[in-house]
Amino acid sequence: MAALTVLFSCRCPWGWTLTSRELKPPACAQESRMRVTTRRVLLLLGSVAALMVTLHLGQQVLECQQVLSERRHRLMRPENEELVMVDANHVEYRYSKDMPLIFIGGVPRSGTTLMRAMLDAHPEVRCGEETRIIPRVLAMRQAWSKSGREKMRLDEAGVTDQVLDAAMQAFILEVIAKHGEPARYLCNKDPFTLKSSVYLSRLFPNSKFLLMVRDGRASVHSMITRKVTIAGFDLNSYRDCLTKWNKAIEVMYSQCLEIGRARCLPVYYEQLVLHPEQSMQNIMRFLDISWSDSVLHHEELIGKPGGVSLSKIERSTDQVIKPVNMEALSKWIGHIPGDVLQDMAHIAPMLARLGYDPYANPPNYGHPDPLVVNNTHRVLKGDYKTPANLKGHLQVTQNTSSSH
């Protein structure tokens, strides 16, 4: 700083020395400026450090939130996950809610076991035995939805429809995939499952449904004579069983129509038996699965690796070990009480809706293919084999029950 010439000398309170000659800053002033500058530098450095720490902590918080979000997504959205299974040949299969699952159902004693056995004979399809648990869980889910009070309680607890549906998806897929060997196409056969076709079609958007349809008089006669206990059916009354058959098939058929013919195919048992090749050709086209002649000879693949697995306790097993035949088509004729026959159109109006003549005794189901005629002759002569793994298990005396 340039010196200032003055005419007096004194000490100023702020640290300047004034003389008669000049005014110049003392050493203490320079030290003061250095301290101020140092404080500013330190303050600036501290601010920069704080900013860097804040940015670092913010980044860590965002990363933690992302990890937690991903974990929540995995926990709460299991329907987006895949099940991975490996077969005996080390081939890997991946299953998800978007796979083309096949559901087979219908009123019990309508040919559902025959249908699934014929599909099971295909080298790329695995159905397996009835799970029995899937229709029960579906019935519980339906009951929760119908009960306003129960639904309110579930919603209040955070168990919303979305949570339940995700859980149902995961459970059903797990059961179907893991209760048998892996295959390219999986199907489930539980007769009453098709009472929930519309719901299942939403859970599994690429699934398809085969609704087995049979003359209700034949179905009821079979369940009564073979003592197949079904919840709600009085096996001592043809009238009661036909009434219950009508109600059950009406629900399933209506849902099949609601889903649409692109996803639900009614399969008439009588036509499957009389014309197996034509029927199976139509079914395989509907399912978009390549043709295999093995579906016409399911009985040859029972108990073999990659073939048809049959339950030792299901009531249809002793019939399905035989080749496709006409033995059971008209067994009901002459066994239904006269008063029930007279009221048949009123008791079971679904007969006429499905194309059956309620007053035809016997009805005309059509003419069989030569293969079926030959198979029937073989069956009547006892010319068929009982698979080794089923010998001694087919003479079951206890009742087998089916649940809604």
Side-chain angles (χ1 to χ4, degrees), residues 163-397:
V163 173
L164 286 172
D165 290 349
M168 292 291 291
Q169 270 178 343
F171 178 82
I172 292 172
L173 184 61
E174 186 94 5
V175 171
I176 293 175
K178 293 188 177 180
H179 88 109
E181 293 298 315
R184 182 178 179 184
Y185 299 99
L186 297 182
C187 80
N188 163 254
K189 175 258 176 176
D190 281 299
F192 281 117
T193 293
L194 263 67
K195 292 179 76 174
S196 302
S197 300
V198 172
Y199 178 65
L200 285 169
S201 70
R202 293 199 302 267
L203 291 186
F204 302 100
N206 295 313
S207 58
K208 290 191 175 180
F209 301 80
L210 298 176
L211 173 61
M212 295 304 299
V213 177
R214 186 183 185 185
D215 189 326
R217 295 164 291 191
S219 295
V220 165
H221 177 71
S222 179
M223 63 180 72
I224 288 176
T225 56
R226 295 177 68 85
K227 297 181 172 60
V228 180
T229 306
I230 304 170
F233 284 63
D234 180 2
L235 296 184
N236 294 312
S237 169
Y238 274 91
R239 183 180 293 271
D240 179 80
C241 287
L242 280 162
T243 301
K244 302 293 174 51
W245 170 87
N246 189 84
K247 182 178 180 180
I249 193 62
E250 183 177 18
V251 170
M252 296 185 200
Y253 189 67
S254 297
Q255 293 207 22
C256 186
L257 294 180
E258 183 175 345
I259 294 171
R261 290 299 174 95
R263 295 188 62 188
C264 184
L265 179 68
V267 178
Y268 282 75
Y269 169 79
E270 294 83 9
Q271 301 311 307
L272 178 65
V273 166
L274 295 172
H275 312 292
E277 183 169 359
Q278 179 183 341
S279 296
M280 289 305 295
Q281 289 275 10
N282 292 336
I283 291 167
M284 303 312 284
R285 278 195 297 270
F286 168 75
L287 297 175
D288 197 24
I289 299 176
S290 61
W291 175 256
S292 172
D293 285 335
S294 60
V295 300
L296 302 178
H297 308 284
H298 71 278
E299 74 282 359
E300 298 174 4
L301 297 168
I302 294 173
K304 295 183 178 179
V308 182
S309 174
L310 293 179
S311 169
K312 296 179 177 67
I313 61 173
E314 285 185 27
R315 299 293 286 183
S316 299
T317 296
D318 64 330
Q319 294 175 300
V320 178
I321 63 172
K322 306 171 186 177
V324 179
N325 66 88
M326 301 180 290
E327 186 183 23
L329 273 185
S330 303
K331 278 189 172 182
W332 62 270
I333 298 170
H335 294 280
I336 300 178
D339 63 308
V340 176
L341 289 175
Q342 280 187 326
D343 296 340
M344 190 62 68
H346 175 71
I347 296 171
M350 282 300 295
L351 283 173
R353 186 178 175 188
L354 294 170
Y356 297 101
D357 184 348
Y359 297 112
N361 298 289
N364 180 15
Y365 296 128
H367 300 286
D369 293 343
L371 172 67
V372 178
V373 174
N374 182 58
N375 287 346
T376 303
H377 288 320
R378 285 175 51 203
V379 168
L380 293 176
K381 291 189 299 181
D383 182 17
Y384 60 90
K385 295 180 180 179
T386 299
N389 66 315
L390 294 176
K391 287 182 178 178
H393 295 280
L394 297 183
Q395 289 73 35
V396 185
T397 56

